[in-house]
Amino acid sequence: MRCFTVLGPSQTGKSTLVEKLGALEGAPRKSISPYGLNLTEFSFGNEAWCALDAPGGSEALVHAQHALLASDACILCVSPAPEEAVLAAPYLRVIEASGTPCILFVNRMDEPRGRLRDVISALQDYAGHTLLLRQIPIREGDKIVGSCDLISERAWRYREGQTSALIAIPESATEREHEARTELLEHLSEFDDWLLEELIEDREPPSDALYAISTRVLKENRIIPVLIGSASHGNGMMRLMKALRHEAPPVDALRERLAGTGNIDQARLSAVSFHAYHRQNIGKTVLVRALGAGLKQGVSLGGSSLGAIQDSANGKSGPAVAPVPGTVFATVKSDHLPVPALLSPEAAFPAPDWTAPPTPMLERILVPGSERDENKLSETLAKLLEADRGLKVAQEEGTGSQMVSIQGPVHLRDLCRTLSDVFHIAVTDRQPNPIYRETISKPAEVHYRHRKQTGGAGQFADVKLTIHPNGRGQGFSFAETVKGGVVPRNYIPAVEAGAREAMDKGPLGFEVIDVGVTLTDGQHHSVDSSEHAFRSASKMGVRQALSEGAAVLMQPVFRSEIHIPSVYSGSLVQIVSSLKGQVLGFDRDETAKGWDIFRALIPGGALDELARALRSATQGIGYFSKTFDHFEELYGKEADAIVRAHGTQRAEH
Ligand SMILES: Nc1nc2c(ncn2[C@@H]2O[C@H](COP(=O)(O)OP(=O)(O)O)[C@@H](O)[C@H]2O)c(=O)[nH]1
Ligand SMILES: [Mg+2]
């Protein structure tokens, strides 16, 4: 079985394309995977094919990445509008990082929105590989009525719902054809000395030799050939499928490519797991592509025995055909298989780095509908984590609630739907509480006496303490300048412990940071003093001093790396400054053509807004990662509102 992925921006006609390719020679069989990837199996040219239809939208990028793990080649499906080229940038990025041979398909040619060469040159801004036109459109007035193949120099007139008819190259297209063909040959000759020679000698190379060269350069992933058509009208489908049939490399090439990442020895690589989903009563279903021979139910794969093998298209127990190299199959009761992973019989190895999902940009607290749901939730999330690498789970500081980090709103919706439909857990979600701290802005002094007379032994401790602001990031410090043993040595650690305890919550209600405490004087009693008494005295004393030290709210500041196509770079400074952030610098991304990386400091409370602003400014393409950097003072109305809200929340608890 040969396998390819169709990926690209939303609404470019990917699903239509898969449907039409699948129906070229008989009826395709479609999968039932509820979220993410759709799988279609069909036959073409006496071979079994599997097309993986990855949904568009940057939140679903991770599905496309995983699909590429199982694919011999891919089709990047785009619209014929130059201004929409940037939407293809994230896909070009993952395709090139993965090393998967790619055919660019410009779809929707029935409604051209610009010149094809402008579309290609706009897309070229985001591709490290040369995009090489293999066909040109034939126009009649402002309509495209057919295409001309630049290698065979044959022209075809599109016919609705039928295969195209061979025609002579129309007069009006000959000049453009000649120009485009010359360009194609020149590019191909960069990879072929024989062709170069032929061109220099001004000889006409035969088309079968040219097909052979283009097959090789696609297999070697040197260029990205460009084909055109219209999926909904069935135009260009046969040409595209034939290109795949002749030019997509065999499964051995995928095996070599995956082993080439160094994670696993090629000889031991027997399969790759690339997608998983949960079904009610059936459990986890894992999609696997066989890369080696001998797989069947019960054999060892990934370190444990392979569960029941199912037909990947209909999810039912499959016909008893054992998977051969290339077969895509589903398996249940194979819960030990991580997804995605490179699998040898004995162990599972990490998928290559390029499959790493984009950093989740959205954090939400999941609020279970009932107590029963609460117990099930964390266990279920742990299960879902195994099959969804775009998801991260943590506990919210302070409340211990379940916090999920997700790709975006669509991902959140799918997650909640899986929880309710498959696991019957009802959840709502809320924004997490940002993590605040407080400190003091001036020194204070306190004299505190702890004295109690209860029953027999009393408690006595007397301390004089000063507190002062420490430098940012210095944290808590403790010193003592006691003279003459007025506070005996053995009680001083208790004084320090009490002071530390007082840092748990300051007058604003938050943990206190960056404060130094000094014990300057005190008194003790030979019978009634104890560690406990000094600890209490110190804690109460420091609390009192803190309330006199002019408390200041401290907000977390994150260092973030924002990734965007360069066309959007102009808008970023404005976005960051409107969020009271600070741009630290920006560079071209050396690993992805046409992308820039901004480094900026962003206040924690503005991260959600950054995600929103970035989405709307970059059509959903830009993304960022973040790491906590430091706490910094926050004054004024904004701070007051946070303190007030925190106070109400505490009162409610
Ligand atoms: N005009 C035109 N419409 C198309 C073409 N291919 C798909 N469509 C339409 O575009 C819409 C989105 O198609 P779909 O295949 O769902 O896109 P996807 O989001 O990329 O999977 C549907 O209404 C299709 O009928 C095409 O070649 N020309
Ligand atoms: Mg679709």
Side-chain angles (χ1 to χ4, degrees), residues 50-386:
C50 173
L52 301 171
D53 176 9
S58 10
E59 288 181 46
L61 203 59
V62 62
H63 294 299
Q65 287 171 297
H66 290 182
L68 290 178
L69 265 179
S71 296
D72 302 324
C74 66
I75 299 174
L76 174 58
C77 183
V78 299
S79 87
E83 70 278 9
E84 287 176 20
V86 65
L87 296 175
Y91 303 95
L92 280 164
R93 183 183 180 134
V94 300
I95 290 165
E96 294 193 321
S98 74
T100 312
C102 172
I103 295 176
L104 177 69
F105 186 71
V106 183
N107 191 31
R108 308 184 78 119
M109 287 300 284
D110 55 311
E111 42 182 34
R113 312 222 315 261
R115 296 190 320 169
L116 184 58
R117 65 192 97 168
D118 294 338
V119 176
I120 305 304
S121 90
L123 286 161
Q124 187 68 69
D125 288 347
Y126 304 103
H129 291 71
T130 300
L131 304 178
L132 207 45
L133 256 188
R134 287 272 301 269
Q135 290 174 305
I136 55 161
I138 294 174
R139 293 171 194 271
E140 250 168 37
D142 56 3
K143 284 201 72 173
I144 287 167
V145 297
S147 71
C148 178
D149 186 292
L150 296 174
I151 291 185
S152 66
E153 298 200 272
R154 289 197 289 184
W156 306 88
R157 176 178 274 276
Y158 292 147
R159 293 188 299 182
E160 184 73 35
Q162 297 176 51
T163 49
S164 305
L166 188 61
I167 55 169
I169 299 178
E171 193 82 19
S172 60
T174 47
E175 195 180 324
R176 171 72 187 123
E177 192 274 336
H178 194 75
E179 182 191 5
R181 178 176 158 91
T182 306
E183 202 175 315
L184 171 70
L185 296 192
E186 272 171 11
H187 276 293
L188 286 179
S189 72
E190 288 168 26
F191 307 106
D192 194 281
D193 291 341
W194 172 81
L195 180 58
L196 186 61
E197 191 99 338
E198 294 289 290
L199 295 185
I200 291 169
E201 300 290 326
D202 217 8
R203 280 193 293 261
E204 235 347 276
S207 30
D208 50 355
L210 293 176
Y211 278 124
I213 294 168
S214 57
T215 300
R216 180 170 63 76
V217 295
L218 182 65
K219 185 175 172 194
E220 291 172 0
N221 192 23
R222 304 289 195 108
I223 49 108
I224 296 181
V226 182
L227 298 177
I228 59 174
S230 162
S232 64
H233 292 273
N235 301 148
M237 297 296 101
M238 190 57 98
R239 189 72 216 96
L240 176 58
M241 203 53 223
K242 280 188 175 167
L244 274 174
R245 179 160 113 88
H246 291 295
E247 299 176 24
V251 65
D252 301 348
L254 173 65
R255 197 156 177 245
E256 215 168 287
R257 188 159 72 241
L258 294 177
T261 56
N263 294 3
I264 184 172
D265 180 8
Q266 196 182 145
R268 297 169 63 213
L269 178 56
S270 50
V272 56
S273 63
F274 63 96
H275 187 63
Y277 55 96
H278 290 268
R279 280 180 290 170
Q280 201 180 332
N281 307 327
I282 297 178
K284 186 162 108 176
T285 301
V286 180
L287 294 185
V288 178
R289 188 163 191 221
L291 299 172
L295 289 180
K296 58 174 194 256
Q297 180 173 349
V299 303
S300 181
L301 183 67
S304 190
S305 80
L306 183 61
I309 289 178
Q310 296 194 328
D311 185 310
S312 55
N314 63 20
K316 300 210 175 90
S317 301
V321 286
V324 294
T327 308
V328 174
F329 62 93
T331 173
V332 291
K333 305 208 164 50
S334 296
D335 288 7
H336 68 283
L337 290 182
V339 180
L342 307 181
L343 305 167
S344 77
E346 313 80 31
F349 298 85
D353 290 344
W354 57 261
T355 62
T359 331
M361 292 209 297
L362 199 60
E363 281 166 357
R364 278 290 177 277
I365 305 300
L366 296 185
V367 184
S370 69
E371 206 171 305
R372 188 196 69 96
D373 288 346
E374 193 166 340
N375 298 333
K376 253 178 101 181
L377 182 61
S378 64
E379 186 186 309
T380 307
L381 284 174
K383 213 183 266 181
L384 292 178
L385 267 184
E386 291 168 14

Side-chain angles (χ1 to χ4, degrees), residues 14-15 53-56:
K14 299 179 296 298
S15 301
D53 176 9

Side-chain angles (χ1 to χ4, degrees), residues 396-461:
E396 187 183 31
E397 190 185 289
T399 66
S401 302
Q402 282 293 344
M403 181 163 86
V404 290
S405 306
I406 53 250
Q407 299 290 317
V410 181
H411 188 201
L412 178 64
R413 194 198 59 204
D414 283 355
L415 174 67
C416 292
R417 214 184 271 167
T418 305
L419 285 172
S420 78
D421 294 0
V422 182
F423 298 96
H424 307 293
I425 301 173
V427 290
T428 52
D429 66 282
R430 67 163 170 85
Q431 203 160 318
N433 303 319
I435 297 160
Y436 292 101
R437 300 280 187 267
E438 60 178 277
T439 189
I440 52 169
S441 57
K442 60 172 207 210
E445 222 176 6
V446 67
H447 180 191
Y448 194 90
R449 175 169 290 187
H450 177 76
R451 160 188 262 167
K452 261 188 194 158
Q453 200 67 52
T454 46
Q459 291 184 31
F460 180 88

Side-chain angles (χ1 to χ4, degrees), residues 460-605:
F460 180 88
D462 181 293
V463 288
K464 272 191 184 164
L465 299 153
T466 62
I467 61 170
H468 62 269
N470 269 344
R472 287 295 82 87
Q474 251 179 286
F476 173 84
S477 63
F478 180 82
E480 53 89 11
T481 56
V482 176
K483 291 195 186 68
V486 289
V487 177
R489 291 280 104 200
N490 53 327
Y491 293 144
I492 286 178
V495 174
E496 176 171 355
R500 265 183 205 281
E501 273 172 39
M503 300 296 145
D504 280 356
K505 194 184 279 178
L508 302 181
F510 300 96
E511 189 184 322
V512 183
I513 55 168
D514 297 345
V515 167
V517 175
T518 311
L519 174 67
T520 55
D521 202 356
Q523 286 177 36
H524 74 285
H525 184 275
S526 57
V527 178
D528 289 346
S529 281
S530 64
E531 280 183 22
H532 177 73
F534 270 102
R535 191 158 148 178
S536 302
S538 168
K539 180 174 171 180
M540 300 310 287
V542 171
R543 277 230 172 121
Q544 191 175 320
L546 285 172
S547 66
E548 288 159 18
V552 188
L553 188 67
M554 302 288 280
Q555 66 173 344
V557 175
F558 289 79
R559 183 173 286 264
S560 76
E561 256 192 15
I562 306 171
H563 298 253
I564 49 172
S566 338
V567 282
Y568 297 124
S569 292
S571 60
L572 208 80
V573 174
Q574 159 65 23
I575 291 178
V576 170
S577 65
S578 75
L579 299 173
K580 305 211 172 86
Q582 186 194 342
V583 174
L584 299 174
F586 91 102
D587 290 302
R588 290 202 172 291
D589 186 341
E590 298 299 336
T591 65
K593 186 151 176 251
W595 289 73
D596 285 341
I597 305 175
F598 276 75
R599 275 173 296 280
L601 293 173
I602 309 281

